[in-house]
Amino acid sequence: MSSTTEQATGARTWSVAEHLDDILTAVQPLEPIELNLLDAQGCVLVEQVTVPVALPPFDNSSMDGYAVRAADTERASEASPAVLTVIGDVAAGSSGTELTVGPGRAARIMTGAPLPPGADAVVPVEWTDGGTGAGPARTMAPHSAAPQGSGGQVRVHRPVTPHAHVRARGGDVCAGDVALEAGTVLGPPQIALLSAIGRPAARVRPRPRVVVLSTGSELAQPGEELAAGQIYDSNSFALAAAAKDAGAIVYRVGAVTDDAETLRATIEDQLIRADLLVTTGGVSVGAYDVVKEALTSVAEEEPGEREGEAAEATEGAVGEDAEQAVHRAHVDFRTLAMQPGKPQGFGTIGPDRTPILTLPGNPVSSYVSFELFVRPAIRAMMGLADLHRPVVRATLLPPHGAGDEEPAPLTSPEGKRQFLRGTYTGGERPEVRPVGGSGSHLIGALAHADALIVLPETVTKAAWGGEVEVVLLG
């Protein structure tokens, strides 16, 4: 990380890319652990998995019908059915060796049941009379309701070829095949495969535990009555939802009042369950910017003092108070050349050097900051290769409802990278339209956006009909 002295004097403005690179350099993938399959969903596999047994492990029927020798049906037709003697039933879960299908014989067989010795094909029940002596059957009589169905004769109206309607042993995967490569993200199909080959667990990088904490004495929780001067806390809900969407296990902490000691105590309480801490609010230059007040004292120490603290960090923090724990930290508060989201903070905190990202408090600023910085950090901790939202190029069009008169071009401050909310339409000629204004408090517009329109530092005006960079949020 850069020197904290530089940050304290405000001598440097960071670019978006520099801040992100600093975060991704410091954040490391979590250590692999063994997790039960359902707990491993969404995690990244860290080992190659080979198939111990073939799938399927035996030849089995893909239909409800009759296991036969194909040669016994080769002349079968509606006018002259092949008549076979039924010797019994083969149900799914049986060994399949109780019966042997000889010439002129057949066994009723259920879907998934092993093919009995002597049989080389399965005739679907719909191609037979179902053992009733009548016309084509639509279904197979239940064994309990019609025990005679497992005996007597069956008339086969259509021929089958060898191996017809039979799932061959190893037809899916063979023993020794690679089932999944290291780096695979475990979704439902991958978990299905692991369970099918008998693996009850997988070795993965776990989903990071992310604690989201909002600050501000003006914040009330949804469902409470608003007092004078209060607003509802939306940031912690938005960021918790965004962290969950990124793949994290999320813990949302209710708003902390503008008191540095209270914030320090809250952070200390949360460190035990956090792989990553995210705060929102209190990082600008106001008199009540509590996050900076609570954490800046570390930034004022000399580098040698911080290095000494780092050496002592492994000794643990048992019995230390909140302020001591928070002082085991190195947090830089930065000015970024971006809009919204100019004030940012990043560092580590606590005895385990837990990463902490401090985001601005305006709702749009905090959400845009999350997408640019926190989401990639979460995915890096998971060991994912794809860290970022998709970025495309699209034609910039005026907002819907602009009327016949073309509005003024979009503007952006020189030297800043601006991120505007937009609605994106894909296809052969992708288009994007701004939604809402540029104000960082406009949550209503954010709720209708599915993209961010990016205006680079060198662009001060973006004309309608031109091409722009778009970050897709959906």
Side-chain angles (χ1 to χ4, degrees), residues 129-209:
D129 67 353
T132 65
R138 293 185 177 180
T139 186
M140 188 174 286
H143 180 74
S144 60
Q148 70 275 16
S150 61
Q153 293 181 326
V154 64
R155 287 169 174 76
V156 179
H157 301 141
R158 293 172 61 178
V160 290
T161 57
H163 313 297
H165 310 297
V166 174
R167 301 166 179 154
R169 179 179 183 274
D172 188 356
V173 292
C174 295
D177 285 352
V178 174
L180 296 171
E181 296 282 2
T184 300
V185 180
L186 298 183
Q190 292 75 33
I191 288 174
L193 176 56
L194 290 172
S195 59
I197 63 175
R199 290 286 295 263
R203 188 164 178 77
V204 298
R205 295 196 188 278
R207 294 186 293 154
R209 300 165 300 165

Side-chain angles (χ1 to χ4, degrees), residues 26-263:
V27 170
Q28 299 298 317
L30 298 179
E31 288 298 316
I33 59 174
E34 193 89 2
L35 288 178
N36 293 330
L37 290 186
L38 292 182
D39 293 331
Q41 182 173 354
C43 297
V44 177
L45 193 66
V46 297
E47 61 182 354
Q48 186 184 79
V49 176
T50 56
V51 179
V53 294
L55 286 182
F58 49 82
D59 292 350
N60 69 89
S61 176
S62 67
M63 307 285 287
D64 292 328
Y66 291 84
V68 300
R69 294 170 10 123
D72 289 338
T73 71
E74 62 184 1
R75 291 187 174 84
S77 67
E78 293 287 346
S80 180
V83 180
L84 306 176
T85 300
V86 180
I87 60 174
D89 281 0
V90 184
S94 66
S95 68
T97 59
E98 299 90 344
L99 303 174
T100 298
V101 177
R105 308 277 175 151
R108 291 207 317 169
I109 191 166
M110 315 309 148
T111 302
L115 198 68
D120 62 3
V122 172
V123 179
V125 66
E126 295 87 352
W127 295 8
T128 77
D129 67 353
T132 65
R138 293 185 177 180
T139 186
M140 188 174 286
H143 180 74
S144 60
Q148 70 275 16
S150 61
Q153 293 181 326
V154 64
R155 287 169 174 76
V156 179
H157 301 141
R158 293 172 61 178
V160 290
T161 57
H163 313 297
H165 310 297
V166 174
R167 301 166 179 154
R169 179 179 183 274
D172 188 356
V173 292
C174 295
D177 285 352
V178 174
L180 296 171
E181 296 282 2
T184 300
V185 180
L186 298 183
Q190 292 75 33
I191 288 174
L193 176 56
L194 290 172
S195 59
I197 63 175
R199 290 286 295 263
R203 188 164 178 77
V204 298
R205 295 196 188 278
R207 294 186 293 154
R209 300 165 300 165
V210 176
V211 171
V212 174
L213 187 153
S214 58
T215 64
S217 298
E218 78 279 12
L219 299 178
Q221 296 305 300
E224 298 177 353
E225 290 290 331
L226 286 179
Q230 284 192 313
I231 60 172
Y232 287 120
D233 173 17
S234 64
N235 284 1
S236 67
F237 286 91
L239 300 187
K244 185 177 180 180
D245 180 72
I249 297 170
V250 184
Y251 303 100
R252 188 193 72 86
V253 180
V256 179
T257 58
D258 291 323
D259 178 77
E261 291 303 320
T262 301
L263 177 60

Side-chain angles (χ1 to χ4, degrees), residues 143-422:
H143 180 74
S144 60
Q148 70 275 16
S150 61
Q153 293 181 326
V154 64
R155 287 169 174 76
V156 179
H157 301 141
R158 293 172 61 178
V160 290
T161 57
H163 313 297
H165 310 297
V166 174
R167 301 166 179 154
R169 179 179 183 274
D172 188 356
V173 292
C174 295
D177 285 352
V178 174
L180 296 171
E181 296 282 2
T184 300
V185 180
L186 298 183
Q190 292 75 33
I191 288 174
L193 176 56
L194 290 172
S195 59
I197 63 175
R199 290 286 295 263
R203 188 164 178 77
V204 298
R205 295 196 188 278
R207 294 186 293 154
R209 300 165 300 165
V210 176
V211 171
V212 174
L213 187 153
S214 58
T215 64
S217 298
E218 78 279 12
L219 299 178
Q221 296 305 300
E224 298 177 353
E225 290 290 331
L226 286 179
Q230 284 192 313
I231 60 172
Y232 287 120
D233 173 17
S234 64
N235 284 1
S236 67
F237 286 91
L239 300 187
K244 185 177 180 180
D245 180 72
I249 297 170
V250 184
Y251 303 100
R252 188 193 72 86
V253 180
V256 179
T257 58
D258 291 323
D259 178 77
E261 291 303 320
T262 301
L263 177 60
R264 290 189 186 107
T266 303
I267 290 175
E268 166 67 3
D269 288 342
Q270 296 302 318
L271 281 173
I272 193 170
R273 64 175 181 177
D275 297 309
L276 175 68
L277 275 164
V278 180
T279 70
T280 173
V283 294
S284 190
V285 294
Y288 292 88
D289 284 325
V290 66
V291 174
K292 288 186 73 172
E293 181 184 352
L295 302 178
T296 296
S297 57
V298 179
E300 294 171 349
E301 295 169 1
E302 293 300 320
E305 293 176 313
R306 287 199 306 273
E307 290 167 7
E309 270 190 351
E312 296 169 4
T314 54
E315 297 177 6
V318 176
E320 68 184 358
D321 63 24
E323 184 172 357
Q324 289 173 325
V326 170
H327 274 239
R328 291 178 176 271
H330 174 201
V331 180
D332 289 345
F333 293 97
R334 303 169 175 173
T335 297
L336 267 62
M338 66 180 285
Q339 182 179 326
K342 180 176 73 171
Q344 300 282 339
F346 171 64
T348 59
I349 194 164
D352 296 324
R353 298 296 177 183
T354 303
I356 181 170
L357 285 94
T358 64
L359 311 183
N362 278 320
V364 178
S365 301
S366 67
Y367 179 72
V368 170
S369 300
F370 181 96
E371 288 292 338
L372 296 179
F373 308 123
V374 185
R375 182 183 175 89
I378 289 172
R379 294 176 69 80
M381 295 174 81
M382 295 175 67
L384 290 164
D386 184 11
L387 304 183
H388 307 285
R389 292 285 197 185
V391 177
V392 298
R393 304 288 295 182
T395 300
L396 178 64
L397 298 181
H400 286 294
D404 296 332
E405 188 173 329
E406 187 174 277
L410 291 183
T411 60
S412 182
E414 185 176 0
K416 289 187 178 181
R417 180 168 291 250
Q418 183 165 210
F419 298 88
L420 299 168
R421 285 132 288 173

